[in-house]
Amino acid sequence: MPIDWLFVWGVAQTAGFLFKPVLESLAVEAGKDIAKDKIKESFGSLFRAVGKDALTRAYGKAVKELLLLIQDELIVNDVPEAQVEAWNDDVELFVRSEGVQETFRRAFGESSSPVDAGLLAQSWQRMTDGPHILPAGFNWSRIAKLFGQKVRKIREEEKELRDALKAQAVIETAGAVQNRAGIAPDFDLEKYREAMLEMHQHLKLELLDHTGASYKIQLRSVFVPQTVRDCQEFIPQVFEIPKEHLQRLRKAGALDEELLDLAEGMQEEMVEVRRRSYLDQSPRSVLEIVGDDRLPHLVILGSPGSGKSTLLKALVLEWAQEPDATARAARPVPLFIELREYDRWNRSDGKSFVRFLHEAQVTCRLNQQRLDEVLRRRGGAMLLLDGLDEIFDRNRRNDAINDIHRFSNDYPDTPVIVTSRIIGYKQRRLSDANFRHFMLQDLDDAQIEEFLDRWHRTFVPESRERDAKRHRIIRAIGESHAIRELADNPLLLTLMSMLNLHQELPRDRVQLYERASQVLLHQWDVERLGLEVTIDYKEKAEMLRRLASFLQSGPGGLKGNIIAGEDLERLLRDYFRQEMEHPDPRNAAREMVRQLRERNYILCLLGEENFAFVHRTMLEYFCASAFVRQSLREESSLDFLKRQVFAAHWRDESWREVLRLIAGMDEQVPVEHVAKIVDFLLEEKDESHESRNIFLAADCCLEVRNPRSLGRSRARVTDALLRLVRFDFPYFYEEREYEVVRRRNEIRAKAVRALANPQLFDQARSWIEERCRSDQDWVVRQAAVGELARGWKDDADTLPLLKDRAARDESPAAGVEEWLGGVRNAAIEAIFRGWPDDPGTLDLLRERAKNGPTPWLREKAKRWADQIEARR
């Protein structure tokens, strides 16, 4: 017979209880084991051995007491009882908030610690979005004090809780006596090493592959170190967030105030100056940064899937997989802590990382007295702290930052590396503690190729099959700019590589996105979360289409790839209610959001209850899919796409990828429609005179599986691009000559790059070669040199022609073109990038380093020569 939780909690016996519907909702959930598991999380590890029913009983009683205190406080402040009942939705959100769960953990586990009134107040402010504003006299301090007393009484009444607290007190007393007596637990580094190998040496690829395959792939066999840039003064991602979202993040306390002030108040010109200063840094290997004794305290920032955790695990494995015990003993011991686990560890008498490793490290505990000795010895250990942003409660995250600061003061000779996503991280606190900040960079071409080489050597033993599969994915990446953008994210490159093992990787990116989304959406195992409904791929994809449409129509449009948790929950709730007629849409939506938190491969938690698509490409894909599906419901699909989509958005650069993807969805958008859309774009007028319509028309042509099928429309695009090679603005611009000339040159070079594609221009190779040799415009020659090296690297005539241009191009040696790169410099760089092992490349670079026309170019050539010599 099911338990009547309302009766157990004493709700039925409580007269005048206005928030009873909140408890009724919780009571329905309490009948499910998954809800009891979630309730158990509210009590922390201290009560791990206590039965679920006992914890559910205590939890419900505590919620009831908290709600009665809130109700009384509202009535005392002259809120009529009839109006209090209307607060139920807001109050339910509040009770379920992370801040209230943390309040419960502290109140039940720490007898001497008062309930934090500020945490309750912040939780109310953050978790409610209704019209109900607390009256001016509402007193959270009074509620906190009385609630603490109520919890202590519940704790005493519940025997299992009381026994757990007594047992913990005995353990703590015994531990204190043991330490004072000098009886030390083990400090076994060999056992710790084995634990680290067991936990981290293999990639957890089963999270990305639903084929049921069993993988035992060593992380270090495919690990490719990334590069970083110093971001102490400028975090570029913050300046890409629309200002409307910045204001919401400021209110939530989700970003550093100083950065927010800069992002909201800085003029675009100044932002561009700082961005240029950031980008002008030469990226450095992250292993070089980690090994720099001058940088003992580091914060490594990065986007979701950028490789932050993998980096720290690779550092652990570098030590753990050293076979020579003597060599291993000479290296610092990597002390790896996942900060979300550290956050879950509750202590009534203070926390520290040393104590955590002594008491709570479940894989292998390390005696804190011996550990203290190691930490005070230079070169004895290094502390690796992963995922500061994954401490979701702001107050507890600040506590963890205090612990980091304290550790760095206590052990100044021990290096500390912290990783975090950008949102949810406040830079100033650790900057003041002399931590240096670096941003992980996207994978470059060389790193992608190295990863793919390692990957296929690991997975495909037969050399001929290995070479074929590796060449297949490299070709797909090289032929599509958008697929190349996907590949610069380590997580998505791994996913693409897994797809490539089992099937032909689609050359057209619409198919690739479809396949990738099917794999990723398979990980939404919502059936196991108690939703009591089957949700297949089609329904999940439709949810994401609605989310993409919501984002593109919100603040900042497609630039605003960020959604508040409450908005996401509301959107999902509406889908469950309207499309699936789910009996409990609110709970289904909450469980779905919870699933997104746990499986963050299409959507990710940015921090502070803000979600986003992991990669903007997926946002763009689902947005394009949403428009195409809508067009099919219109009387004229073509007219809708031309007038409502392309005409409305082709001038906005942030929409370019969406519009291109629409042109590539050939199963729903016939090639005849694409031809008419291309013709429509060619007839449009660009008020900026920068021919954005023509370049978009060219992009749309290339999205079609066979661009030649566009017939006359393709030829019209080619003709328009050939005219742009001689482009100039139709007005006199002497007073602003430098900036306008720069923009003019960019348009000419962009036209050359577009015409270098044989799918668009049948004479591409011969035309590009002629531009390299004899075009009257150095900008055209420079762009042609780059495209020749990129598109025809395997052609035997390419390298001789580049060497000829490096030695003989007639652009002025010290003119402005040399400062901007110049044709000769472009040819030399192309040779360095594409043919570093050619016998003449090193001599060419040494000569350039000695005789280059400017210090900047000489330094650049010297750095390239040094890199080649180091590899040899």
Side-chain angles (χ1 to χ4, degrees):
M1 182 175 181
I3 298 173
D4 183 350
W5 286 110
L6 288 178
F7 179 81
V8 171
W9 294 339
V11 176
Q13 302 94 311
T14 304
F17 186 30
L18 303 178
F19 292 137
K20 184 178 179 181
V22 177
L23 269 296
E24 289 174 341
S25 176
L26 292 175
V28 171
E29 293 181 17
K32 304 175 183 178
D33 281 342
I34 188 169
K36 292 179 183 178
D37 289 337
K38 195 169 182 180
I39 287 172
K40 194 163 185 174
E41 293 176 6
S42 300
F43 288 83
S45 59
L46 177 59
F47 299 101
R48 189 174 294 156
V50 177
K52 292 180 182 179
D53 284 348
L55 293 178
T56 302
R57 186 165 54 244
Y59 175 81
K61 289 180 179 180
V63 171
K64 182 195 71 174
E65 297 297 345
L66 179 59
L67 295 183
L68 284 170
L69 291 169
I70 294 173
Q71 173 182 309
D72 292 345
E73 191 67 26
L74 289 171
I75 292 172
V76 165
N77 283 277
D78 299 325
V79 177
E81 289 189 15
Q83 293 183 18
V84 170
E85 292 185 33
W87 290 54
N88 274 289
D89 286 346
D90 280 359
V91 169
E92 185 173 350
L93 284 173
F94 168 71
V95 166
R96 295 176 182 273
S97 72
E98 180 62 30
V100 171
Q101 304 311 306
E102 173 61 15
T103 297
F104 278 35
R105 274 191 287 270
R106 295 182 185 182
F108 275 98
E110 302 177 11
S111 57
S112 61
S113 177
V115 174
D116 187 345
L119 181 56
L120 291 173
Q122 290 170 6
S123 299
W124 178 272
Q125 182 180 5
R126 289 177 57 199
M127 295 304 297
T128 59
D129 59 355
H132 305 114
I133 300 173
L134 294 174
F138 193 92
N139 192 326
W140 281 113
S141 297
R142 181 162 50 229
I143 289 176
K145 181 178 179 180
L146 294 173
F147 182 62
Q149 296 171 3
K150 299 288 186 181
V151 169
R152 284 193 288 276
K153 183 178 179 182
I154 295 170
R155 214 169 46 184
E156 286 300 313
E157 291 172 349
E158 294 292 336
K159 182 179 183 301
E160 289 188 57
L161 272 66
R162 187 171 68 245
D163 291 346
L165 287 166
K166 287 180 179 178
Q168 180 65 21
V170 170
I171 292 171
E172 292 179 6
T173 302
V177 171
Q178 187 182 58
N179 285 337
R180 284 197 300 270
I183 304 172
D186 287 342
F187 185 79
D188 190 336
L189 289 181
E190 182 59 28
K191 188 181 294 184
Y192 175 74
R193 170 177 173 262
E194 291 172 359
M196 293 297 101
L197 288 172
E198 181 182 348
M199 289 182 65
H200 304 305
Q201 71 175 326
H202 293 117
L203 292 172
K204 294 178 172 59
L205 295 176
E206 64 275 8
L207 298 177
L208 291 178
D209 188 359
H210 65 279
T211 63
S214 177
Y215 298 102
K216 280 287 186 181
I217 303 302
Q218 298 230 352
L219 181 149
R220 291 188 70 213
S221 69
V222 296
F223 173 67
V224 176
Q226 292 165 256
T227 56
V228 292
R229 281 188 170 97
D230 189 316
C231 62
Q232 196 78 0
E233 304 298 332
F234 181 78
I235 296 180
Q237 286 86 339
V238 174
F239 292 84
E240 295 169 3
I241 299 173
K243 291 187 177 181
E244 297 87 344
H245 288 301
L246 287 174
Q247 293 168 4
R248 179 164 58 81
L249 292 172
R250 178 191 292 278
K251 184 178 179 181
L255 282 173
D256 190 279
E257 285 291 329
E258 185 175 335
L259 284 173
L260 284 168
D261 289 340
L262 284 172
E264 290 181 333
M266 192 180 291
Q267 296 295 320
E268 285 190 17
E269 293 81 2
M270 184 55 66
V271 171
E272 186 57 35
V273 168
R274 291 209 176 194
R275 179 180 287 108
R276 179 50 52 193
S277 176
Y278 170 82
L279 293 174
D280 282 346
Q281 300 176 51
S282 294
R284 299 171 62 185
S285 168
V286 69
L287 297 184
E288 176 189 338
I289 296 296
V290 168
D292 191 335
D293 292 339
R294 297 167 299 176
L295 299 168
H297 300 145
L298 299 172
V299 177
I300 305 296
L301 297 171
S303 304
S306 62
K308 302 180 295 297
S309 298
T310 301
L311 166 65
L312 296 193
K313 291 175 183 179
L315 296 176
V316 171
L317 294 172
E318 183 181 13
W319 171 83
Q321 292 180 326
E322 170 57 60
D324 187 328
T326 302
R328 190 167 61 249
R331 292 182 174 181
V333 179
L335 304 171
F336 180 78
I337 296 176
E338 292 180 316
L339 286 171
R340 65 173 178 267
E341 296 298 327
Y342 180 76
D343 175 54
R344 292 170 184 164
W345 177 52
N346 290 310
R347 293 300 310 175
S348 60
D349 53 348
K351 293 169 67 169
S352 74
F353 299 117
V354 175
R355 190 174 178 187
F356 176 82
L357 292 165
H358 176 90
E359 297 179 5
Q361 171 71 275
V362 294
T363 53
C364 179
R365 295 182 174 89
L366 297 172
N367 175 265
Q368 61 184 346
Q369 291 179 338
R370 293 282 304 280
L371 184 56
D372 177 80
E373 296 171 7
V374 172
L375 290 168
R376 295 190 185 281
R377 187 175 72 239
R378 182 178 291 274
M382 61 191 303
L383 182 64
L384 309 177
L385 303 173
D386 188 35
L388 181 59
D389 58 285
E390 293 189 42
I391 302 178
F392 302 126
D393 182 82
R394 195 187 323 164
N395 292 320
R396 298 207 313 274
R397 186 164 60 245
N398 286 336
D399 290 342
I401 292 173
N402 289 336
D403 292 344
I404 295 170
H405 194 170
R406 189 181 308 113
F407 181 94
S408 67
N409 288 336
D410 291 343
Y411 304 104
D413 292 331
T414 296
V416 181
I417 304 175
V418 183
T419 69
S420 179
R421 298 175 187 176
I422 294 93
I423 294 183
Y425 176 70
K426 293 189 175 182
Q427 183 165 343
R428 184 186 303 173
R429 292 283 308 282
L430 287 180
S431 292
D432 292 343
N434 296 317
F435 276 73
R436 197 75 188 176
H437 292 73
F438 290 87
M439 182 72 65
L440 278 175
Q441 302 298 291
D442 294 336
L443 295 172
D444 61 25
D445 291 339
Q447 291 165 336
I448 291 172
E449 290 208 18
E450 182 181 353
F451 174 86
L452 294 174
D453 183 57
R454 287 170 169 264
W455 177 273
H456 288 87
R457 278 193 281 113
T458 300
F459 276 94
V460 189
E462 201 278 314
S463 61
R464 182 176 299 178
E465 181 187 1
R466 177 170 63 243
D467 291 344
K469 289 188 173 184
R470 180 178 176 276
H471 180 72
R472 184 171 69 193
I473 190 172
I474 288 175
R475 184 181 69 242
I477 291 171
E479 290 177 351
S480 169
H481 174 70
I483 292 178
R484 169 62 183 81
E485 285 189 344
L486 271 185
D488 63 29
N489 180 284
L491 173 68
L492 297 177
L493 178 60
T494 302
L495 172 61
M496 290 166 57
S497 301
M498 293 194 72
L499 286 171
N500 189 55
L501 290 176
H502 304 302
Q503 58 197 29
E504 175 76 27
L505 193 68
R507 292 181 63 181
D508 84 72
R509 61 204 183 99
V510 170
Q511 283 190 39
L512 175 61
Y513 298 163
E514 176 76 12
R515 299 260 183 97
S517 66
Q518 288 174 358
V519 172
L520 293 172
L521 287 173
H522 182 86
Q523 295 304 324
W524 288 16
D525 298 326
V526 293
E527 294 84 356
R528 70 179 181 84
L529 293 178
L531 295 184
E532 299 177 357
V533 64
T534 299
I535 303 177
D536 61 19
Y537 167 74
K538 290 171 60 178
E539 288 160 333
K540 298 169 190 175
E542 180 58 27
M543 292 182 197
L544 291 179
R545 279 190 285 269
R546 294 190 180 201
L547 173 58
S549 298
F550 176 89
L551 290 172
Q552 63 87 14
S553 63
L558 286 171
K559 296 177 182 177
N561 181 20
I562 179 172
I563 182 172
E566 59 265 29
D567 290 332
L568 176 59
E569 182 179 308
R570 188 182 304 112
L571 185 149
L572 296 174
R573 185 173 66 234
D574 290 345
Y575 181 84
F576 279 115
R577 182 175 61 250
Q578 297 167 5
E579 304 301 326
M580 302 186 69
E581 298 182 352
H582 194 282
D584 188 2
R586 177 185 290 255
N587 187 49
R590 285 172 178 162
E591 293 295 352
M592 183 68 81
V593 171
R594 181 186 178 195
Q595 179 74 4
L596 293 176
R597 263 188 162 181
E598 296 173 358
R599 304 275 190 176
N600 59 350
Y601 300 119
I602 279 188
L603 295 188
C604 63
L605 181 66
L606 293 176
E608 295 291 342
E609 292 293 337
N610 293 283
F611 290 82
F613 281 87
V614 166
H615 201 286
R616 184 176 297 279
T617 295
M618 286 296 168
L619 164 61
E620 293 162 343
Y621 166 71
F622 282 107
C623 185
S625 178
F627 275 117
V628 169
R629 289 173 70 86
Q630 182 179 348
S631 75
L632 297 176
R633 295 192 292 267
E634 300 292 331
E635 184 175 342
S636 170
S637 172
L638 175 61
D639 189 64
F640 172 82
L641 291 175
K642 282 169 55 177
R643 304 299 172 189
Q644 302 299 316
V645 182
F646 278 83
H649 299 296
W650 71 259
R651 293 171 177 81
D652 187 341
E653 190 65 27
S654 68
W655 277 80
R656 179 172 295 273
E657 288 302 310
V658 172
L659 301 180
R660 290 178 59 187
L661 286 166
I662 289 172
M665 293 183 171
D666 54 359
E667 292 185 5
Q668 295 91 21
V669 183
V671 67
E672 301 82 33
H673 283 15
V674 177
K676 292 178 180 179
I677 289 171
V678 167
D679 292 339
F680 165 77
L681 288 170
L682 292 176
E683 296 300 324
E684 289 287 275
K685 301 298 181 184
D686 186 354
E687 297 81 0
S688 70
H689 304 293
E690 295 187 359
S691 304
R692 291 171 295 180
N693 56 317
I694 296 174
F695 289 116
L696 178 58
D699 288 339
C700 290
C701 287
L702 292 172
E703 292 299 327
V704 176
R705 203 163 292 182
N706 178 15
R708 290 178 176 83
S709 65
L710 294 169
R712 179 58 188 159
S713 298
R714 171 177 174 264
R716 291 186 64 201
V717 169
T718 301
D719 292 343
L721 290 171
L722 286 168
R723 290 192 293 272
L724 289 180
V725 172
R726 304 294 171 220
F727 170 83
D728 206 347
F729 286 101
Y731 51 77
F732 183 70
Y733 50 80
E734 182 178 4
E735 293 182 0
R736 297 177 292 140
E737 182 174 358
Y738 176 79
E739 175 59 24
V740 178
V741 167
R742 182 187 66 79
R743 288 164 54 211
R744 180 201 68 191
N745 291 345
E746 286 178 352
I747 291 169
R748 292 182 180 181
K750 191 174 180 180
V752 173
R753 290 193 292 270
L755 288 163
N757 193 319
Q759 292 291 312
L760 189 64
F761 185 28
D762 292 332
Q763 292 80 41
R765 168 62 204 250
S766 59
W767 185 83
I768 285 290
E769 187 173 323
E770 183 62 25
R771 295 314 100 208
C772 288
R773 293 184 186 280
S774 58
D775 199 275
Q776 62 187 3
D777 185 351
W778 72 270
V779 171
V780 174
R781 295 199 306 277
Q782 177 177 293
V785 161
E787 291 307 303
L788 180 72
R790 184 192 63 80
W792 291 275
K793 182 178 183 296
D794 297 331
D795 194 306
D797 295 332
T798 296
L799 181 57
L801 179 53
L802 292 174
K803 288 182 176 180
D804 176 77
R805 293 298 83 203
R808 300 176 55 192
D809 191 87
E810 298 178 356
S811 57
V816 67
E817 49 267 48
E818 281 294 341
W819 285 100
L820 295 173
V823 181
R824 294 187 184 186
N825 187 70
I828 290 173
E829 180 167 0
I831 293 169
F832 163 69
R833 301 291 183 196
W835 294 266
D837 298 324
D838 183 82
T841 299
L842 184 57
D843 292 339
L844 183 65
L845 292 173
R846 282 173 174 161
E847 188 280 329
R848 189 70 164 179
K850 182 178 180 181
N851 300 317
T854 69
W856 176 71
L857 293 175
R858 291 194 293 272
E859 174 60 29
K860 201 171 185 180
K862 180 180 183 302
R863 187 165 65 249
W864 292 339
D866 290 344
Q867 289 181 31
I868 290 179
E869 288 184 321
R871 284 203 296 265
R872 292 182 179 178

